[in-house]
Amino acid sequence: FIQFFFVCCMKKICNGCIMAAEKRDILNCPFCRTPRPKSEAESLAMVQTRVEKKDPAAINYLAQKYCHGNLGLQKDMRKAVELWTEAAELGSVEAMFIIGNVYDFGEAGVGQDKKMAVKFYRKAAMHGHVHAHH
């Protein structure tokens, strides 16, 4: 099951659905009809617009890009943790789980703290994150 992620609206769609949309000549985002970005800079601008509006999915996505140094961003784990924390506070279940991992394993310059890890894993689990149930 392969998915494509749309930065305009932070939605995932499977390749089969993308193919079906393209057959109907829908070349823009199937959800919001925004034209697809033509460059990493355009993608980053779309994400940052959503981040400014406090969209937890966009903040989580930007954190991942800082974590891996994608979209033309320099790898910055401290910034990634800061963004994941903000996304978790705003309700991103995925960010809650990732912050749990950060504390569990003492990653990204954050000291290992099992109590904080359990706190974030528990929050993620209570919000339906399947992998947080360990």
Side-chain angles (χ1 to χ4, degrees):
F1 179 61
I2 299 172
Q3 298 178 358
F4 187 83
F5 187 79
F6 289 88
V7 294
C8 48
C9 59
M10 299 290 132
K11 302 286 186 195
K12 293 179 188 176
I13 187 169
C14 72
N15 280 351
C17 293
I18 290 171
M19 289 173 51
E22 288 174 351
K23 278 186 175 182
R24 294 191 321 261
D25 289 326
I26 299 172
L27 302 178
N28 296 334
C29 173
F31 288 104
C32 67
R33 305 293 194 246
T34 301
R36 294 183 188 183
K38 294 175 177 59
S39 67
E40 283 188 342
E42 269 188 44
S43 291
L44 183 58
M46 286 180 166
V47 172
Q48 287 175 327
T49 297
R50 295 187 70 88
V51 167
E52 289 168 6
K53 295 177 182 176
K54 300 296 184 194
D55 179 339
I59 296 167
N60 180 57
Y61 182 79
L62 186 60
Q64 291 174 17
K65 298 309 165 193
Y66 271 109
C67 176
H68 299 290
N70 300 124
L71 286 184
L73 297 169
Q74 190 165 355
K75 188 174 180 174
D76 185 343
M77 291 304 292
R78 288 188 188 275
K79 181 70 172 175
V81 170
E82 176 185 310
L83 289 167
W84 277 320
T85 302
E86 181 180 359
E89 289 170 357
L90 291 170
S92 169
V93 178
E94 186 64 28
M96 291 173 197
F97 180 72
I98 292 169
I99 289 294
N101 280 335
V102 167
Y103 281 112
D104 195 9
F105 300 105
E107 298 173 336
V110 174
Q112 190 175 32
D113 186 335
K114 295 293 185 177
K115 286 183 181 180
M116 286 296 285
V118 168
K119 172 186 167 186
F120 281 100
Y121 284 146
R122 187 170 286 142
K123 283 179 80 171
M126 289 175 64
H127 285 89
H129 195 286
V130 177
H131 300 293
H133 290 277
H134 70 281

